[in-house]
Amino acid sequence: MLRFASLGSGSKGNALVVEAGNTRVLLDCGFGPRNLLQRLARLGLGGDDIDAIVVTHEHSDHIAGAFPCARRYGYSLHLTHGTHVAALRSKPDLHEYAVDLHLIDSHQVFAIGDLQIQPFPVPHDAREPVQFVFSDGQHRLGVLTDLGFSTPHVIDSLTGCEALVLECNHDADMLANGNYPASLKQRIGGRFGHLDNAAAAALLGQLDTSQLQHLIAAHLSEHNNTPLLAQQALADVLGCAADWIGVADQEAGFDWRTLA
Ligand SMILES: [Zn+2]
Ligand SMILES: [Zn+2]
């Protein structure tokens, strides 16, 4: 059995719990130690129930709490060389954190306890960003947030998954008509920024979704998107009701979803 839940999703902080057998891993940790405990408690978990943190890239909404929580609670920490270098560059005192650090190869599957974890590199404005497919040996959960544009390798990595957490960052019209400065609009909408709803839908349309049991729209902009716009864009591809699509909330995340 594989199950997963979100502790929060969006530019103010991300963390996803993935569980198989006796193993529980956090994907990203944008929350500090005390905030993390409060969010874990909503799922009936304590700090000791997590084994490891796997980090996608060095942006603070994904990594801010990773080193402090790994140090405080003794989690192993898994990230690419590029993410590690970039994290140390922006916060040199991380050198002094005595954490159980594991550098991962962005193309090489690795295991943490009962979980198999396949990284795949993605285009995004970070040093060596990756996203992941998690498996208990039977079921596959693909997670994709923070992506500038889709690539054939992204499609190959995610196709056929039974569960997907998929970035729907913004609605292109809302971003264009909103009051962000032009440079920020360009970064978000550019090739190393974030997927808009239409791009996420186009990506979904290229995947084999015949096994799909759970689809969650994630990393929604609080200013440039609405849950309904994201749900509708994805539902149109699958031909399902909009409310079948889950939405990962910045504050509430989403509750356990199970693949069995
Ligand atoms: Zn992000
Ligand atoms: Zn990012």
Side-chain angles (χ1 to χ4, degrees):
M1 184 180 92
L2 187 73
R3 64 173 191 160
F4 60 100
S6 170
L7 304 179
S9 175
S11 61
K12 292 183 182 148
N14 297 274
L16 186 81
V17 185
V18 185
E19 175 189 293
N22 291 317
T23 305
R24 268 179 228 100
V25 166
L26 281 185
L27 173 60
D28 288 328
C29 188
F31 307 112
R34 197 184 316 175
N35 194 351
L36 177 69
L37 280 197
Q38 291 165 352
R39 289 169 188 264
L40 284 172
R42 299 192 303 229
L43 299 174
L45 298 176
D48 291 343
D49 293 321
I50 303 296
D51 300 294
I53 303 177
V54 178
V55 178
T56 56
H57 65 300
E58 69 272 22
H59 291 161
S60 62
D61 53 322
H62 301 266
I63 206 171
F67 281 80
C69 291
R71 179 169 70 171
R72 172 80 71 93
Y73 304 122
Y75 308 149
S76 61
L77 187 56
H78 307 253
L79 70 187
T80 63
H81 173 69
T83 299
H84 187 224
V85 166
L88 292 178
R89 184 166 298 166
S90 67
K91 221 171 163 282
D93 70 319
L94 293 181
H95 273 296
E96 285 140 38
Y97 279 49
V99 298
D100 178 17
L101 194 75
H102 298 252
L103 294 182
I104 60 174
D105 180 319
S106 61
H107 288 278
Q108 184 62 48
V109 68
F110 61 101
I112 299 175
D114 297 320
L115 273 171
Q116 291 150 35
I117 306 174
Q118 175 69 61
F120 56 98
V122 292
H124 186 56
D125 54 359
R127 180 75 181 266
E128 193 185 357
V130 286
Q131 297 289 326
F132 297 96
V133 174
F134 295 86
S135 174
D136 62 352
Q138 204 176 358
H139 304 290
R140 290 168 74 229
L141 158 68
V143 182
L144 182 68
T145 65
D146 299 76
L147 179 79
F149 62 97
S150 180
T151 68
H153 188 53
V154 167
I155 301 296
D156 283 350
S157 300
L158 295 177
T159 201
C161 282
E162 290 136 297
L164 285 172
V165 175
L166 185 59
E167 167 163 59
C168 290
N169 183 265
H170 58 280
D171 172 79
D173 290 333
M174 285 182 74
L175 179 67
N177 298 323
N179 55 10
Y180 280 13
S183 59
L184 184 56
K185 288 183 181 180
Q186 252 168 26
R187 188 193 88 69
I188 292 170
R191 287 183 51 86
F192 293 90
H194 290 279
L195 282 190
D196 69 18
N197 295 338
L203 191 163
L204 181 66
Q206 288 183 269
L207 302 177
D208 169 5
T209 53
S210 59
Q211 307 300 314
L212 194 63
Q213 298 173 40
H214 301 281
L215 175 59
I216 318 274
H219 213 304
L220 271 67
S221 165
E222 292 184 300
H223 301 289
N224 299 310
N225 209 353
T226 69
L228 191 56
L229 283 172
Q231 287 172 303
Q232 195 61 60
L234 300 181
D236 285 349
V237 176
L238 297 181
C240 66
D243 63 6
W244 187 80
I245 314 285
V247 176
D249 182 74
Q250 177 67 77
E251 187 48 41
F254 59 82
D255 203 355
W256 290 113
R257 300 277 189 132
T258 301
L259 289 171

